[in-house]
Amino acid sequence: MSHFINVILPLPLENHFTYSVSQAEAEFLKPGMRVAVPFGKSKVYTGIVSAVHQEDPKIYEAKPIEQILDKKALVTGTQLKFWSWIASYYMCTEGEVLRAGLPSAFLLESETVVQLLKKAEIDEEKLTDDEFLLFEALQRQSSMKIKEIIQLLDKKTVLPIINSLVEKKVVVVNQEIYEQYKPKLERYVKLHSNYSEEAAMHQLLDDLSRAPKQREVIFTLFGISAKDKQPIKVSTLSEKSKASAGTIKSLIDKNVLEEYHLQTQRVQYEGGELAGRVKLNEYQQQALNEIEKSFETEDVCLLHGITSSGKTEIYVELIEKAISNGKQVLYLLPEIALTTQLISRLQNYFGEKVIVFHSKYSVNERVEVYQNVLGNSEKAQIIVGVRSSIFLPFQDLGLIVVDEEHESTFKQYDPAPRYNARDAAIVLGLMHKAKILLGSATPALESYFNADHSKYSLVNLNRRFGDVLLPEIEIVDIKEKHRKKRMKGHFSDRLIEEVRETLKNKEQVILFQNRRGFSPILECNTCGHSPQCPNCDVSLTFHSHNNQLRCHYCGYHMALQKKCMACGSPELSTKGFGTEKVETELKALFPKHNIGRMDLDTTRGKHGYEKIISAFEEGQIDILIGTQMLTKGLDFRNVRLVGIMNADSLLNFPDFRAHERSFQLMLQVAGRAGRTQKRGLVLIQTYNPHHQIVQQVSTNNYQEMYQEQLDERRQYKYPPFYRLVRITLKGRDYSRVNEGADWLATSLKNSFYENVLGPEFPPVARIRNEYYKNILLKIPQKQSISKTKIIVGKILQTFRAIGSYRSVKVVVNVDPY
């Protein structure tokens, strides 16, 4: 009887593919193992086995697999179930989820390898110079990859040369699978076995009497091994004996020392004293008791705790309880910046049980974290990570904590799967029968709505830790200040006065401006022209640190022009302002103080966040300017003043969530002030001081904002009352995109009538020379979501089958905001 396996390929394919296997292979293979399989004309891919069975595919002949890559499953059964849910809910393919869910080092792809044909009869005179060069190189080494041939010939296009050699029957082209992950090896040394006897040892020391440095190395080696009884690293021996690498190498060459290698982990806990628990105050203890009681009947709990109320200490208590029961814990964070501060706090409590997972890790580091979680290692009891960590292979998950659950960074926008990690974590928790705790000072409207309607339990914590008072919030009317000529650049006299006062008292200041760069628009005062990006429908942002105009969508950049590109006038001025401009103005106002900036430009490196945060914590920076990175739950003890440079840029945004988001951002950034005994101050600069959101922030009135926004959402049919699916069409041909969008919108309206909005151009309608058009589908509460998606899927299938729309890409985004 024939045996077959179904394989998920890392490609955007609707179906699993079936391959044939032998009986022995079928007995060995289990769902979740990796296999290398041929797909297409010549490519070999790594796929994940999803099922082993005996039903042959009716439509095509099943090919045999190339090889089995694992001895045991790399993907758990729960992961496969979770991938299937993500693919169906977010309307993407399991192949796309596989690409997101596994570190890329596991997805070995074949590489084209060129080899000499054995017994080939070659007339060297018929070869061109390039062909002869390649032929000579292949005689020295058995095979070459395409990249190596490009370097050898110093040409970008080498395929014509390879094809010509194939025709002349000189070379053959094969596909070869290669491993990306390389374990990290450390060099160790020990005394050679020749000197295990005492007599041989004395003879050695006599022989080395003329080489004092080498003799010192041997004495140091004895000293370390007698004390530690541990393998001895070459680096440790070199450091303690003060010997050079050359001295140790000569001892290895003489067979006095024996060198060997051991595999080591790239991600390691540095060690240190474990701190004792922080004693919970009565309000925290009450909240903890309420959460534990709610977990007896409910799976999801929302903790609504004001900024600096000590939510992290409550999380620590719950984590402690979960790991003492032998369970794993996932601690989800919205931003890498937060992990830096939180890791050190958690490692103080739990030591090496804490492991971190985020995108700034290298491919090899991610593989090691993945393997630790899969093996349920002692080092991976508590996983702290950003949204992608929901894809890790948890063995026995007991608790998921989603910190700052309102954050939009939990949503993945590109590429697919376009999931929301908060919502997906709830489903993941239910699959593992784990408890889920959502925590925030400003919960997302949907989460609070679910808690309000008994879908989740709700616990409130409305006292700051240590009975510290909430910061005083003051609104500064900059329209009035401009009229009275009391502005210096973008700083009101009130803000300057408070910054001066704070610095005089040796305290720190945070200034928030949610736009990076120096200025978003460079404008000619004569003709009004401003340089635009040639690839996108946006003006170029001026960055002063490198004197560049840069597009934040596609990365296009050019040097700052001295004259207007349209009329040649030298009178150019900047409009609007970003973090760089605030920094420049501050340096002029406070030249003697250290000023730091935290935005995407200054945190690009692996440790970019860490350096800035630790410098600010240690008091090396007096004033920190930043974008929304600053708002995410960071805990600075010496900040008295927070300034919001311009609240209006947040409020006037074309998005139904603009008011909710600006309330959350302003209140979160305000929460960085006065986290110790002295009361903090927050100054909000705005042209519209009577705006209801600004007023609600100033009184910290979440309930009023929630009710007001909920009424608007009910009236205009938005979440949480209606679900949203946004379909984006994009392509290089403007008229094709337009026609395609009209066809698709008409087809959807035939099924869903007035619940289809659009097609409509987004605010930025062209990015990287592709035109965008959006259609928004609203799904009422009583309408079946799964049936709606089936109908949408069928309409999209028909759309893709129309030849004239082949060039138009369709992106489906479920719960897009």
Side-chain angles (χ1 to χ4, degrees):
M1 182 170 269
S2 304
H3 295 270
F4 301 94
I5 56 168
N6 286 356
V7 174
I8 306 170
L9 290 166
L11 300 166
L13 303 166
E14 291 295 328
N15 302 325
H16 297 185
F17 259 73
T18 304
Y19 289 87
S20 65
V21 288
S22 66
Q23 186 175 345
E25 286 170 335
E27 284 166 10
F28 177 76
L29 283 166
K30 300 278 181 294
M33 282 186 175
R34 290 178 307 157
V35 284
V37 292
F39 187 77
K41 286 182 181 172
S42 61
K43 266 285 202 186
V44 177
Y45 287 97
T46 303
I48 299 288
V49 177
S50 61
V52 183
H53 58 90
Q54 292 174 345
E55 290 173 38
D56 64 327
K58 303 286 180 278
I59 302 156
Y60 55 90
E61 191 182 334
K63 291 179 185 175
I65 63 170
E66 293 263 329
Q67 66 187 89
I68 299 169
L69 298 171
D70 293 317
K71 288 179 181 169
K72 55 182 184 181
L74 190 75
V75 177
T76 67
T78 312
Q79 267 178 298
L80 288 172
K81 197 170 142 193
F82 184 53
W83 287 3
S84 173
W85 176 82
I86 283 197
S88 70
Y89 184 82
Y90 290 104
M91 296 184 74
C92 60
T93 65
E94 281 185 56
E96 289 168 317
V97 183
L98 161 61
R99 273 230 176 265
L102 282 185
S104 57
F106 286 134
L107 299 176
L108 320 177
E109 282 187 17
S110 60
E111 187 160 71
T112 305
V113 173
V114 179
Q115 296 168 316
L116 268 184
L117 253 178
K118 289 175 184 169
K119 300 174 187 171
E121 292 174 13
I122 297 149
D123 184 355
E124 291 180 10
E125 288 177 9
K126 287 185 179 174
L127 301 181
T128 65
D129 290 351
D130 283 337
E131 287 170 2
F132 185 72
L133 200 64
L134 178 54
F135 168 64
E136 263 199 322
L138 284 167
Q139 283 182 312
R140 288 195 296 275
Q141 60 190 88
S142 59
S143 65
M144 288 182 82
K145 294 175 184 173
I146 298 288
K147 280 183 203 162
E148 294 168 337
I149 296 170
I150 289 169
Q151 283 174 339
L152 172 76
L153 303 179
D154 200 18
K155 286 187 173 177
K156 286 276 171 70
T157 48
V158 294
L159 285 178
I161 299 158
I162 295 167
N163 288 337
S164 167
L165 285 171
V166 170
E167 282 169 24
K168 290 173 183 171
K169 298 195 171 154
V170 176
V171 300
V172 62
V173 176
N174 290 320
Q175 293 288 322
E176 195 175 273
I177 285 189
Y178 63 100
E179 187 77 62
Q180 270 183 302
Y181 170 66
K182 289 185 175 64
K184 185 180 179 184
L185 299 173
E186 288 262 22
R187 284 174 71 212
Y188 288 83
V189 281
K190 61 183 178 185
L191 195 65
H192 201 282
S193 53
N194 296 347
Y195 300 102
S196 54
E197 300 293 325
E198 200 173 325
M201 173 59 61
H202 286 304
Q203 184 61 48
L204 170 67
L205 292 173
D206 290 344
D207 293 346
L208 291 178
S209 57
R210 291 179 193 167
K213 284 187 179 174
Q214 292 183 9
R215 193 174 171 159
E216 182 57 37
V217 170
I218 299 299
F219 280 130
T220 309
L221 183 81
F222 290 155
I224 298 172
S225 56
K227 190 178 169 188
D228 289 348
K229 310 277 188 219
Q230 294 283 335
I232 299 159
K233 287 184 192 176
V234 173
S235 56
T236 310
L237 184 60
S238 173
E239 184 190 322
K240 295 212 171 165
S241 64
K242 297 187 174 56
S244 66
T247 308
I248 293 172
K249 188 177 185 303
S250 60
L251 283 167
I252 293 167
D253 293 342
K254 285 180 185 175
N255 282 341
V256 174
L257 294 179
E258 203 176 322
E259 183 185 31
Y260 62 104
H261 292 84
L262 291 176
Q263 189 175 335
T264 180
Q265 291 276 333
R266 285 178 170 85
V267 184
Q268 285 185 335
Y269 169 57
E270 297 301 325
E273 282 293 307
L274 294 188
R277 295 278 176 282
V278 173
K279 193 158 179 8
L280 300 188
N281 64 27
E282 60 175 303
Y283 305 105
Q284 287 173 308
Q285 191 59 53
Q286 190 184 337
L288 177 65
N289 295 343
E290 284 178 36
I291 292 166
E292 288 181 334
K293 193 165 188 303
S294 77
F295 279 159
E296 290 170 15
T297 52
E298 300 282 339
D299 290 314
V300 188
C301 176
L302 174 65
L303 173 61
H304 180 199
I306 60 170
T307 53
S308 193
S309 55
K311 295 187 286 295
T312 310
E313 275 68 42
I314 294 174
Y315 302 156
V316 165
E317 291 294 327
L318 289 163
I319 290 168
E320 168 66 33
K321 195 170 178 185
I323 62 171
S324 65
N325 291 333
K327 302 280 188 185
Q328 285 177 316
V329 176
L330 172 61
Y331 194 136
L332 272 182
L333 291 165
E335 190 84 64
I336 296 168
L338 259 183
T339 57
T340 313
Q341 247 196 352
L342 195 89
I343 293 309
S344 52
R345 282 174 78 178
L346 286 176
Q347 283 181 339
N348 279 344
Y349 296 137
F350 301 111
E352 63 169 15
K353 291 179 180 173
V354 180
I355 203 163
V356 192
F357 189 77
H358 57 60
S359 60
K360 286 276 193 321
Y361 271 6
S362 69
V363 165
N364 288 329
E365 285 171 334
R366 281 192 243 177
V367 167
E368 287 177 6
V369 172
Y370 190 96
Q371 286 169 337
N372 275 328
V373 178
L374 182 65
N376 205 357
S377 148
E378 270 290 305
K379 293 175 183 171
Q381 293 292 287
I382 303 158
I383 298 96
V384 181
V386 290
R387 59 174 181 250
S388 55
S389 48
I390 60 168
F391 292 114
L392 288 169
F394 301 102
Q395 294 299 313
D396 193 3
L397 196 57
L399 174 69
I400 300 177
V401 176
V402 185
D403 200 7
E404 309 295 341
E405 62 84 32
H406 64 277
E407 281 292 347
S408 57
T409 37
F410 279 128
K411 173 72 180 172
Q412 159 85 359
Y413 288 100
D414 269 312
R418 295 172 177 83
Y419 62 96
N420 185 313
R422 176 197 64 210
D423 301 343
I426 291 170
V427 174
L428 178 69
L430 297 176
M431 284 181 180
H432 279 275
K433 297 186 170 58
K435 301 299 177 189
I436 303 106
L437 179 64
L438 312 177
S440 174
T442 52
L445 231 71
E446 286 88 335
S447 299
Y448 203 82
F449 181 81
N450 283 336
D452 214 17
H453 288 72
S454 305
K455 203 172 173 185
Y456 307 160
S457 55
L458 174 66
V459 175
N460 288 303
L461 181 61
N462 41 26
R463 286 289 189 97
R464 277 188 145 191
F465 189 78
D467 284 332
V468 174
L469 290 170
L470 278 167
E472 185 186 337
I473 299 177
E474 193 179 310
I475 299 164
V476 180
D477 184 353
I478 43 180
K479 187 161 79 177
E480 187 70 11
K481 295 286 182 190
H482 272 293
R483 195 175 62 77
K484 292 181 177 174
K485 299 201 168 29
R486 286 188 184 166
M487 295 289 290
K488 277 191 184 174
H490 294 93
F491 288 82
S492 62
D493 57 348
R494 182 81 186 93
L495 184 54
I496 293 170
E497 177 197 330
E498 284 299 338
V499 171
R500 198 166 278 137
E501 182 65 26
T502 305
L503 295 175
K504 197 171 98 182
N505 294 336
K506 299 273 188 292
E507 290 168 319
Q508 291 169 303
V509 180
I510 284 179
L511 294 175
F512 171 68
Q513 169 57 14
N514 206 20
R515 183 188 283 280
R516 65 191 169 103
F518 187 86
S519 168
I521 297 168
L522 183 77
E523 193 174 79
C524 169
N525 292 344
T526 313
C527 70
H529 173 265
S530 66
Q532 301 287 309
C533 173
N535 312 317
C536 313
D537 281 346
V538 287
S539 56
L540 296 173
T541 301
F542 171 44
H543 286 249
S544 67
H545 72 281
N546 53 9
N547 240 17
Q548 272 187 353
L549 294 171
R550 181 174 281 276
C551 172
H552 288 174
Y553 284 87
C554 70
Y556 170 85
H557 56 87
M558 61 190 278
L560 175 68
Q561 305 299 301
K562 299 285 181 234
K563 292 179 179 177
C564 172
M565 294 159 77
C567 71
S569 164
E571 287 189 38
L572 300 174
S573 66
T574 56
K575 298 277 188 288
F577 66 107
T579 47
E580 256 185 65
K581 193 164 192 178
V582 176
E583 185 182 24
T584 309
E585 289 181 6
L586 266 178
K587 281 177 178 169
L589 289 165
F590 302 98
K592 291 179 182 172
H593 290 278
N594 293 330
I595 293 159
R597 179 161 58 88
M598 186 168 159
D599 56 28
L600 201 61
D601 298 320
T602 61
T603 55
R604 289 200 186 276
K606 184 174 178 178
H607 302 291
Y609 296 99
E610 241 165 280
K611 286 173 188 164
I612 295 169
I613 288 169
S614 55
F616 193 61
E617 278 181 322
E618 288 160 16
Q620 294 166 22
I621 295 172
D622 301 316
I623 306 172
L624 183 61
I625 307 140
T627 55
Q628 61 187 20
M629 287 178 184
L630 279 177
T631 64
K632 318 273 199 309
L634 294 167
D635 186 19
F636 301 120
R637 312 306 297 169
N638 196 31
V639 175
R640 178 187 158 263
L641 176 68
V642 166
I644 295 172
M645 298 300 297
N646 186 352
D648 308 294
S649 61
L650 302 169
L651 295 164
N652 305 327
F653 203 73
D655 176 2
F656 75 91
R657 282 196 199 278
H659 286 181
E660 179 194 352
R661 289 258 163 87
S662 45
F663 178 88
Q664 288 165 343
L665 266 174
M666 285 192 268
L667 210 60
Q668 287 287 346
V669 80
R672 302 312 114 218
R675 293 172 80 94
T676 47
Q677 290 309 315
K678 196 169 176 186
R679 192 175 187 193
L681 174 66
V682 180
L683 292 179
I684 301 175
Q685 295 194 152
T686 172
Y687 285 97
N688 189 357
H690 302 295
H691 194 290
Q692 83 265 26
I693 290 290
V694 176
Q695 290 297 325
Q696 285 156 2
V697 169
S698 72
T699 55
N700 196 359
N701 197 335
Y702 178 84
Q703 283 296 336
E704 192 183 309
M705 184 279 296
Y706 167 73
Q707 278 315 136
E708 208 168 82
Q709 293 302 309
L710 208 60
D711 292 344
E712 277 189 23
R713 303 269 184 94
R714 188 183 282 111
Q715 194 177 341
Y716 296 112
K717 299 182 178 176
Y718 278 105
F721 302 101
Y722 279 63
R723 289 284 177 89
L724 299 182
V725 177
R726 186 176 66 206
I727 299 168
T728 302
L729 292 92
K730 57 181 182 177
R732 289 180 178 270
D733 186 330
Y734 177 80
S735 54
R736 279 275 152 81
V737 172
N738 257 338
E739 288 165 24
D742 289 341
W743 185 95
L744 195 55
T746 307
S747 302
L748 288 165
K749 279 171 185 170
N750 288 340
S751 296
F752 303 110
Y753 314 109
E754 76 279 359
N755 287 332
V756 179
L757 303 184
E760 189 63 58
F761 286 111
V764 180
R766 182 173 62 104
I767 299 171
R768 294 189 182 91
N769 282 323
E770 285 192 317
Y771 295 95
Y772 284 65
K773 212 157 190 191
N774 289 337
I775 298 166
L776 195 66
L777 171 63
K778 294 180 172 181
I779 307 172
Q781 273 178 327
K782 288 178 183 169
Q783 189 172 310
S784 162
I785 296 171
S786 52
K787 284 178 185 169
T788 303
K789 286 176 184 170
I790 290 166
I791 295 167
V792 171
K794 284 178 180 170
I795 292 170
L796 289 175
Q797 217 170 352
T798 312
F799 176 82
R800 289 182 184 119
I802 299 170
S804 56
Y805 299 145
R806 285 272 161 83
S807 62
V808 180
K809 290 185 208 125
V810 180
V811 173
V812 181
N813 198 341
V814 179
D815 302 339
Y817 297 102

